[in-house]
Amino acid sequence: MRFLICLALGALLLASPAMSQDRPANAQPWDRPFLPPAPEWDGASRDLLRPTSDPWATAFEQDPEHDFSPDYAATRAWFDRLDAASDLIRIEAFGTSPEGRPIYAVIASRDGATLDPSKPLLLAQAGIHPGEIDGKDAGMMLLRDIAFYGRDDLLDRVNLILIPVLSVDGHERSGAYSRPNQRGPRIQGWRNTATNQNLNRDFMKLDQPEMQALMGFIHRYRPDLYVDIHVTDGIDYQYDVTYGYNGEDGIYSRSPATARWLDSAFRPTIDSALSARGHIPGELVFALDDRNPRTGLYDGGLGERFSNGWGSAAHIPTILIENHSLKPHEQRVLGTYVFLEAALRLLAERGPELRAAWQADAALRPQQIPTNFQPDDSPIGTRAFLGIRFETYESPASGRTEIRWLGEPDPEVWQMPFYSSHATLTLDRPEAYWVPSYRTDIIARLRLHGVQMETLDAPRTVEVQMLTLPDATFAARPNEGHVPMTSGEPVVETHRWTFPTGSVRVPTDQAMGDIVVLLLEPQSTESFFAWGFFPEIFSRVEYIEAYAIAPLAEQMLTADPALRAEFEARLASDPGFAADGDARLAWFYERTPFYDQHYRLYPIGREN
């Protein structure tokens, strides 16, 4: 049935009179005539394209419409050829995908096998969402030009690492029907991995082998700037290259010195370079209502499961590029090239300033850590916004009013209400956490994050705070292979607890200390607990029969007047409880030493 639907859709796109107007005779399904028209563009950056006769022209450049991106094998073969031909280029594999494909990086440097740590390093990563592959094609062109066409001066004072495709399995699940809201390339990879996971939700929990490999790679090379390259969805607008980072325009950041440098030095430089080459750069923002676009904009939140949120918490300067999906693939690729080249030149000139900024951030040890950010209820101001003209119409398909983008720049500059985000929870920073040895999965993921810890070579008894979670609940549906949890309000208890050999003490007085708190405090929405890593604490063992607890409860009432008063108050205030014999007996059972004391007890201890 699905095959027949695809055939029918292809025929519709090719033959429908409503959709074939002004379309060439050789139009194909990937032309997607249901998308809004793209504004005319003839940017100066087109001079970056090599002619098809050039032996180093990429597959993107050789395509007459510049609307093609090569598959995994062809991409790797091209880079292998580049590696063999240039002493400036080398390839390093750093992981393996679930389907067995090597994940690799391409390193451009004059330093040989070992990169000079005194040089600033730019890490550009493409294809975490493989349909959004602009960074791969731009990176191929840039590395080629560094090797052969006069841009080798970029490597005099800075090094470059390109990960052309991170989600290599998703890259190979490709076809003409991948991202319906995106204009090109005509064959696109799939958003999720072979295990149906979204890698851009995995920067904290590190479930997937691709992300585990990436995190190890990042901590091995410690880039001064990490650029994560995407293509966005959402409303239409004039900008073709939008990008963002946590802390823009003085908004809260876990890395404030970095954010100030990005505001004052990076954005003006990048915007100027893009504008000079015919692109329209913009801040990364999201519409409050895609169907009513002038309602306002918001910052998208500060979640650490995404690259920019994680980078702020890890004190690794991170830029999230979101090229605009309705602009042609050629325009987006060339804008990404200009962005990366300008970033390299800026790092060569002012890289020491950025390194000083992130090192200052890495030395911070805030005692209170705000988290669980939500959009503000009221705007913090207005932003000038370059919109696209639109109209509304009544859709017979949806039975409601829909929006139709017209592909024409609106001459009016929109003044858009802008909503920031605020923390709904503040966490106290303890001295350390204690993780029991049997949670090898948690310990391993902390190590992948670059977290320093002490491993016990003998059992140790320590005084720690432990949290019981009486109000914790499971989510109604799974997310990213987990059933998430909400913790509710924890009950804090002090225990003398013995941690066995192999357990770890994780101090928070370290550069990755904020990451540690966000991962190990169960109330954090980015924590291992919130992702559902601790379902075992909700399995209560041992029960008591009514014939045993009833006489024991009667003895407890006689022996403890305070307990009797508490019980009678509960009876008076809760008629449902008073009428439920099982609930009444359970109330007493929970107050006996027979009750499972580990039930709902979070097994990670806090040391204060």
Side-chain angles (χ1 to χ4, degrees):
M1 177 64 73
R2 182 176 298 174
F3 176 72
L4 294 176
I5 292 173
C6 289
L7 287 178
L9 178 59
L12 172 67
L13 296 179
L14 288 168
S16 170
M19 293 187 172
S20 61
Q21 196 171 22
D22 300 323
R23 298 182 67 236
N26 63 347
Q28 299 294 329
W30 48 73
D31 290 339
R32 300 182 183 180
F34 50 81
L35 289 181
E40 293 295 324
W41 182 80
D42 189 22
S45 60
R46 277 195 167 133
D47 66 7
L48 297 169
L49 297 165
R50 304 299 301 179
T52 57
S53 59
D54 190 305
W56 286 105
T58 66
F60 159 77
E61 293 168 302
Q62 290 174 343
D63 180 65
E65 297 182 353
H66 301 140
D67 195 37
F68 179 75
S69 189
D71 65 15
Y72 175 89
T75 301
R76 180 58 193 263
W78 191 92
F79 277 122
D80 283 340
R81 189 162 65 95
L82 188 67
D83 181 9
S86 173
D87 292 337
L88 300 177
I89 306 297
R90 65 181 174 89
I91 294 174
E92 180 177 323
F94 63 90
T96 303
S97 75
E99 292 186 336
R101 295 181 178 90
I103 308 169
Y104 63 92
V106 185
I107 301 175
S109 173
R110 296 190 185 279
D111 300 344
T114 303
L115 298 186
D116 180 353
S118 69
K119 282 186 179 179
L121 173 62
L122 171 62
L123 171 61
Q125 168 223 287
I128 193 171
H129 292 155
E132 308 165 26
I133 205 61
D134 304 355
K136 180 190 77 175
D137 295 305
M140 293 172 78
M141 293 173 61
L142 179 58
L143 287 167
R144 180 266 321 279
D145 291 349
I146 287 172
F148 301 122
Y149 294 109
R151 282 182 168 78
D152 56 312
D153 65 306
L154 290 170
L155 302 182
D156 290 346
R157 290 182 291 164
V158 66
N159 289 319
L160 169 64
I161 298 178
L162 171 72
I163 300 174
V165 189
L166 180 61
S167 180
V168 291
D169 295 342
H171 187 275
E172 292 310 279
R173 185 183 170 184
S174 60
Y177 299 103
S178 177
R179 283 175 60 79
N181 305 310
Q182 181 176 307
R183 179 169 277 116
R186 59 180 178 265
I187 302 298
Q188 302 168 355
W190 196 252
R191 182 179 182 85
N192 278 18
T193 68
T195 58
N196 199 32
Q197 301 300 303
N198 185 338
L199 296 184
N200 199 36
R201 305 295 185 271
D202 201 26
F203 275 88
M204 290 291 277
K205 56 186 174 62
L206 298 182
D207 267 342
Q208 301 306 308
E210 297 95 333
M211 290 304 296
Q212 294 173 4
L214 174 66
M215 199 58 64
F217 187 78
I218 286 174
H219 284 292
R220 183 159 73 252
Y221 281 104
R222 190 36 171 104
D224 292 277
L225 184 66
Y226 170 37
V227 179
D228 179 18
I229 306 169
H230 292 249
V231 178
T232 192
D233 290 325
I235 66 172
D236 202 357
Y237 42 68
Q238 297 179 42
Y239 309 103
D240 55 356
V241 179
T242 69
Y243 62 97
Y245 44 88
N246 279 25
E248 289 177 276
D249 303 319
I251 294 173
Y252 172 78
S253 172
R254 303 192 195 282
S255 291
T258 296
R260 287 192 295 271
W261 189 88
L262 293 172
D263 272 345
S264 63
F266 188 82
R267 183 171 288 282
T269 299
I270 299 301
D271 285 358
S272 176
L274 285 164
S275 298
R277 303 292 275 155
H279 297 275
I280 305 179
E283 291 190 14
L284 176 59
V285 291
F286 302 88
L288 285 176
D289 184 350
D290 288 354
R291 298 178 59 247
N292 189 10
R294 300 193 69 159
T295 301
L297 305 169
Y298 76 106
D299 61 10
L302 305 172
E304 286 77 21
R305 67 190 61 186
F306 309 107
S307 60
N308 53 326
W310 164 83
S312 179
H315 313 303
I316 294 177
T318 300
I319 301 292
L320 174 60
I321 294 181
E322 289 278 8
N323 294 328
H324 190 236
S325 61
L326 295 178
K327 305 301 184 289
H329 184 53
E330 176 194 44
Q331 183 177 350
R332 302 194 314 261
V333 168
L334 295 178
T336 305
Y337 182 118
V338 173
F339 185 105
L340 293 175
E341 181 185 5
L344 285 168
R345 295 197 183 280
L346 178 61
L347 285 181
E349 296 175 7
R350 301 182 65 176
E353 298 174 14
L354 177 57
R355 183 169 293 187
W358 68 250
Q359 287 176 342
D361 291 329
L364 297 174
R365 302 292 184 266
Q367 289 307 301
Q368 280 76 45
I369 298 177
T371 189
N372 298 6
F373 285 83
Q374 297 291 333
D376 291 342
D377 294 328
S378 301
I380 62 171
T382 59
R383 298 243 177 130
F385 190 75
L386 300 181
I388 292 287
R389 291 185 59 241
F390 65 92
E391 63 185 14
T392 58
Y393 71 101
E394 297 305 312
S395 168
S398 70
R400 67 184 184 188
T401 302
E402 300 292 349
I403 192 168
R404 179 185 288 120
W405 296 102
L406 303 178
E408 302 168 7
D410 194 327
E412 174 195 355
V413 177
W414 300 359
Q415 297 300 321
M416 300 280 274
F418 181 76
Y419 295 76
S420 185
S421 299
H422 64 278
T424 60
L425 176 69
T426 299
L427 299 170
D428 292 326
R429 185 191 204 95
E431 290 292 321
Y433 293 93
W434 291 79
V435 184
S437 58
Y438 63 85
R439 291 314 304 254
T440 55
D441 57 335
I442 302 298
I443 295 169
R445 292 169 201 239
L446 290 170
R447 286 202 170 101
L448 285 169
H449 273 292
V451 170
Q452 304 299 307
M453 61 190 77
E454 173 194 358
T455 303
L456 302 189
D457 57 10
R460 190 180 304 177
T461 302
V462 292
E463 184 175 287
V464 291
Q465 284 185 342
M466 305 288 282
L467 303 181
T468 298
L469 306 172
D471 300 321
T473 57
F474 290 87
R477 62 181 182 177
N479 182 25
E480 298 298 323
H482 293 272
V483 178
M485 298 288 304
T486 55
S487 68
E489 188 64 30
V491 176
V492 181
E493 305 166 350
T494 300
H495 290 273
R496 294 280 297 171
W497 204 270
T498 300
F499 288 90
T501 301
S503 301
V504 295
R505 179 183 181 271
V506 187
T508 63
D509 184 11
Q510 56 177 300
M512 299 300 290
D514 290 3
I515 291 282
V516 170
V517 175
L518 293 167
L519 285 172
L520 296 184
E521 286 292 335
Q523 289 180 283
S524 162
T525 53
E526 302 292 354
S527 68
F528 291 123
F529 177 86
W531 276 109
F533 277 70
F534 292 89
E536 71 277 7
I537 71 173
F538 300 98
S539 298
R540 181 161 64 92
V541 295
E542 296 299 349
Y543 296 84
I544 191 168
E545 300 292 347
Y547 64 76
I549 187 59
L552 177 57
E554 293 157 13
Q555 295 172 17
M556 294 165 67
L557 286 170
T558 301
D560 189 341
L563 179 71
R564 175 183 287 277
E566 182 183 359
F567 178 62
E568 290 175 347
R570 177 68 184 274
L571 293 176
S573 64
D574 188 345
F577 173 79
D580 187 339
D582 289 337
R584 291 166 64 141
L585 293 179
W587 188 89
F588 286 100
Y589 180 37
E590 291 172 11
R591 287 156 176 77
T592 73
F594 297 103
Y595 190 74
D596 182 1
Q597 300 302 313
H598 288 194
Y599 178 54
R600 292 181 175 261
L601 181 69
Y602 182 59
I604 293 176
R606 289 176 179 162
E607 176 189 325
N608 289 315

